Structure formats: C-alpha cells, structure tokens
C-alpha cells in the first residue's frame, strides 16, 4: 500500500505526465487496486481551457492556475472526509505540483515516462479526445520531471497497462514488494 506506516493522513496519488502517456488508464488501475476514489483532472478544467486546447492553442500558467486550485481543493475535501484518492493531472511543472501539494492529504506523484515519439503515435490513434497531437510538443517543452525531494516515483509506460500499475505500486511501497 502506498501509504507510509507513519502517515495518518489520507493519500492522493497524482498520476502525471504529458497528454497521451496513459494517465487515465493508470489512475483507474491504481484506484481499482487500492479501492480509492478516482477523478479525472480534465473534468476540473473550465470550458474556456477546453475550448482553447480544442483549437490547438496551448494553455499557459494563467489558464492552469484556477484548474490546479480546483483539483487541490477537491483533494482536500476528499481527505477531510477520510478518503484517499487517485487523480490524473499533467502536473507538468514543479510549481504546479507545489499547488497540488498544498492539499490536506499526503500528495504523491506517479510520473509516467515515455519517449515523445511513442506518445505521439498513441495520440494519433486516439479518438474523441479534445487534446490534439499538435500540442504534444508544447507539453514536452514545458515538462519538468520530478526532482529530488518530491514525493513520487517514475514509471515507464512502454509496457502493458497492467504492468504499469504493478510497477507503480511496487515503487510506491518497496517494503511491500
């Protein structure tokens, strides 16, 4: 279990990375394995953000600010009710992750890693998502991987979805491996 024995606060796992890395699939798998509440961060975007991305225009820090606060507040509300959660969120920059870490939960990150070319190929096959493959380069350009001192793990997504979930759980709780 990803919660440390010393922790009595609910945990929030933020499954992060650029669009197309498999955040939703991984987060749903983790939530199912752990029995925790799942949420999709895309559902917290204001309509203006979705319209902007749908038009192929990358979001800027100003666009993302209220979205990150809404996610943080949702995590806090769930934690105050004693629920641990798993949520998807690109969390591309450390300062974005700093906002999320302000939640009333132990916020841990699962960074999904893959070469940009692999993700571009996946995105080109994806149907029904508002995020066009043309914005992938801007996401990789903005992306700041987890740094030392950030509570999280890195997991390659160049394996089956089940293996990604198992790898994440193993890395989050090496004492249980």
């Amino acid at each position: 279990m990803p919660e440390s024995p010393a922790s009595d606060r609910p945990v929030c796992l933020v499954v992060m990375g650029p669009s197309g890395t498999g955040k939703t699939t991984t987060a749903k798998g983790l939530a199912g394995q752990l029995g925790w509440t799942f949420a999709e961060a895309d559902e917290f975007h204001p309509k203006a953000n979705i319209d902007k991305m749908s038009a192929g225009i990358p979001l800027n820090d100003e666009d993302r600010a209220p979205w990150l606060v809404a996610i943080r507040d949702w995590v806090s509300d769930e934690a105050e009710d004693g629920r641990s959660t798993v949520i998807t969120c690109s969390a591309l920059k450390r300062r974005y992750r700093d906002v999320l870490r302000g939640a009333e939960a132990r916020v841990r990150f699962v960074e999904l890693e893959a070469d940009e070319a692999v993700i571009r190929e996946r995105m080109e096959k994806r149907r029904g998502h508002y995020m066009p493959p043309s914005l992938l380069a801007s996401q990789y350009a903005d992306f700041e991987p987890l740094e030392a001192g950030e509570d999280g793990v890195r997991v390659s997504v160049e394996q089956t979805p089940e293996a990604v979930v198992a790898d994440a759980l193993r890395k989050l709780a090496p004492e249980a491996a």
Side-chain angles (χ1 to χ4, degrees):
M1 175 168 255
E3 192 166 356
S4 69
S7 175
D8 57 353
R9 292 188 301 168
V11 174
C12 174
L13 296 180
V14 178
V15 180
M16 59 172 279
S19 185
T21 54
K23 292 185 294 291
T24 299
T25 300
T26 302
K28 285 181 176 179
L30 289 167
Q33 288 284 321
L34 296 166
W36 293 358
T37 302
F38 165 80
E40 174 66 60
D42 287 346
E43 295 172 11
F44 293 82
H45 272 299
K47 184 177 181 327
N49 283 6
I50 292 174
D51 290 347
K52 194 171 183 179
M53 289 183 285
S54 296
I57 303 167
L59 299 180
N60 59 36
D61 290 351
E62 186 178 315
D63 297 323
R64 289 186 178 105
W67 172 64
L68 293 165
V69 168
I71 294 167
R72 180 203 63 206
D73 292 350
W74 177 82
V75 170
S76 290
D77 289 347
E78 293 295 306
E80 287 171 6
D81 287 339
R83 287 187 291 274
S84 289
T85 55
V86 182
I87 189 165
T88 63
C89 181
S90 54
L92 297 174
K93 297 180 181 181
R94 180 166 184 145
R95 68 176 163 258
Y96 302 166
R97 297 188 295 271
D98 289 345
V99 172
L100 299 175
R101 271 192 286 276
E104 295 298 321
R106 179 181 178 197
V107 178
R108 304 189 73 195
F109 297 92
V110 177
E111 179 186 320
L112 301 182
E113 298 181 302
D115 184 79
E116 184 177 345
V118 170
I119 300 307
R120 179 172 302 286
E121 184 178 321
R122 286 183 183 182
M123 287 182 75
E124 288 170 352
K125 293 176 183 175
R126 184 164 72 176
R127 299 289 173 249
H129 196 278
Y130 65 83
M131 179 73 142
S134 62
L135 291 182
L136 185 61
S138 71
Q139 290 222 326
Y140 271 91
D142 282 351
F143 185 60
E144 298 171 0
L146 288 173
E147 298 174 11
E150 290 191 271
D151 189 357
V153 299
R154 289 189 177 101
V155 179
S156 170
V157 297
E158 295 187 43
Q159 53 187 332
T160 67
E162 297 80 15
V164 172
V165 170
D167 195 19
L169 289 170
R170 180 183 56 77
K171 288 179 176 179
L172 287 164
E175 66 278 0

